[in-house]
Amino acid sequence: MKDDKDQYLKGKRISPTPIKEGLGVKDLIDNHFNGFNAARIQELCHLISEKMSPQNVYVGFSLSGALTPAGLGTSCIVPMIRSGMIDYIVTTGANLYHDLHHSLDLPLTQGTPFVNDNELFEKDIIRIYDIFMDYEVLAATDNWLMRTFSRPEFQKRMGTRELHYLLGKFADEIEQERGTVGKSFIAEAYRYEVPIYTSSPGDSTLGLDIAALNLVGKDIQIDPSIDVNETAALVLEAKQVGKSGVVVWGGGSPKNFILQPEPALQEVLGFDIKGHDYFV
């Protein structure tokens, strides 16, 4: 009977020391995140550091919604790219569009969701939940995008990886010019050659700007089939030489797109492989 009981009580004893000044993040997570959602954070940190960090694990990140207005690109994604934690990204166009505000050194400020939107509209203030920006931030970003997309390099058929690589190249140039290097993940991904895909390229201001330019004689053709085949090839190669992992930030279309190489490879193309090895 005692043996049956012991199998449930063999976990690490919960007995943390008081949290004090100077406590490191690793110590905080390992010794103080002991239960409930905090323990799940500890588990995923160990999964990433112990299972997903080796060189033979190819890791993709999916980013939903609009996370970059709050600075997630600068604070988290850029350091992760620099440290080699991210091998490819699937994201919404909104994350890329708002990421570019930081490249262009355009201000976003803390606001509140508890405000009269009619008043904000009258004052040309844009609200993303509790983040405020002047309408001129959008106008300046669109102006830069329209000029950038009008360049000869964009006038062809391509997938979103190539589109974002070219966009990152010019974002890198503007960051070098304005002293904002490290502020946006699209420029950082260009510098480290991390491919970025968007599963629904028409569903953002990037898509709106491209569509508007095509009305006036430009010829920017985005082909989603290229992205489907490329991401399937990435996962196939990962599975042949090592393992594949994904980190999913939110749900939606990016989550589905980063998970679909498995059915593409197995059900449609007939490869005898299984899906991703690790999930966060």
Side-chain angles (χ1 to χ4, degrees):
M1 191 69 176
K2 185 178 185 300
D3 289 341
D4 291 340
K5 183 185 293 187
D6 287 347
Q7 68 174 316
Y8 296 104
L9 299 174
K10 62 184 180 182
K12 183 184 71 173
R13 181 173 178 177
I14 298 175
S15 182
T17 57
I19 293 176
K20 58 184 179 181
E21 183 180 357
L23 184 70
V25 172
K26 184 179 184 302
D27 190 14
L28 176 68
I29 292 172
D30 286 346
N31 298 317
H32 299 272
F33 283 24
N34 295 310
F36 307 109
N37 286 339
R40 305 292 79 74
I41 293 174
Q42 184 189 93
E43 289 173 354
L44 71 87
C45 287
H46 288 171
L47 174 61
I48 291 174
S49 63
E50 297 167 14
K51 300 291 187 181
M52 297 175 68
S53 293
Q55 290 295 315
N56 70 331
V57 181
Y58 203 75
V59 180
F61 271 58
S62 76
L63 309 172
S64 67
L67 302 170
T68 52
L72 188 79
T74 306
S75 63
C76 297
I77 306 302
V78 167
M80 288 177 174
I81 290 174
R82 289 178 176 176
S83 65
M85 291 179 65
I86 301 176
D87 293 299
Y88 67 103
I89 295 170
V90 179
T91 181
T92 58
N95 274 319
L96 296 169
Y97 176 72
H98 293 300
D99 185 60
L100 289 168
H101 304 328
H102 302 291
S103 284
L104 297 166
D105 199 23
L106 299 171
L108 284 68
T109 60
Q110 289 183 327
T112 174
F114 308 109
V115 64
N116 187 319
D117 281 318
N118 290 323
E119 291 182 10
L120 294 182
F121 180 79
E122 291 173 359
K123 299 179 186 300
D124 288 335
I125 301 296
I126 305 298
R127 177 175 74 87
I128 304 176
Y129 187 59
D130 60 353
I131 298 169
F132 292 172
M133 70 187 84
D134 193 294
Y135 175 77
E136 287 302 316
V137 170
L138 303 186
T141 305
D142 283 357
N143 182 273
W144 182 83
L145 278 168
M146 296 287 258
R147 287 185 285 109
T148 300
F149 283 146
S150 295
R151 293 172 179 262
E153 296 95 320
F154 290 91
Q155 313 310 309
K156 60 180 178 180
R157 174 178 170 271
M158 57 185 155
T160 61
R161 174 195 54 79
E162 185 174 5
L163 174 75
H164 300 144
Y165 182 79
L166 290 171
L167 196 57
K169 173 185 176 183
F170 294 111
D172 172 60
E173 290 182 3
I174 202 73
E175 289 189 0
Q176 302 288 347
E177 176 188 315
R178 300 193 180 185
T180 55
V181 172
K183 290 293 185 180
S184 83
F185 78 86
I186 189 169
E188 204 68 31
Y190 162 76
R191 289 187 279 264
Y192 283 82
E193 298 186 346
V194 172
I196 300 175
Y197 298 93
T198 293
S199 47
S200 51
D203 187 18
S204 74
T205 306
L206 300 183
L208 301 183
D209 290 344
I210 288 172
L213 287 169
N214 285 342
L215 286 175
V216 294
K218 299 301 179 182
D219 189 25
I220 310 168
Q221 301 177 39
I222 309 302
D223 187 345
S225 294
I226 295 175
D227 295 348
V228 171
N229 289 329
E230 281 190 7
T231 50
L234 289 176
V235 174
L236 177 61
E237 182 179 18
K239 299 290 289 184
Q240 288 176 337
V241 301
K243 295 184 177 181
S244 176
V246 293
V247 179
V248 178
W249 298 50
S253 182
K255 174 187 176 182
N256 183 77
F257 196 81
I258 207 167
L259 299 181
Q260 76 175 19
E262 186 275 332
L265 290 168
Q266 190 180 84
E267 299 171 24
V268 179
L269 298 175
F271 286 93
D272 185 19
I273 67 167
K274 294 184 179 179
H276 299 293
D277 297 283
Y278 303 118
F279 297 88
V280 173

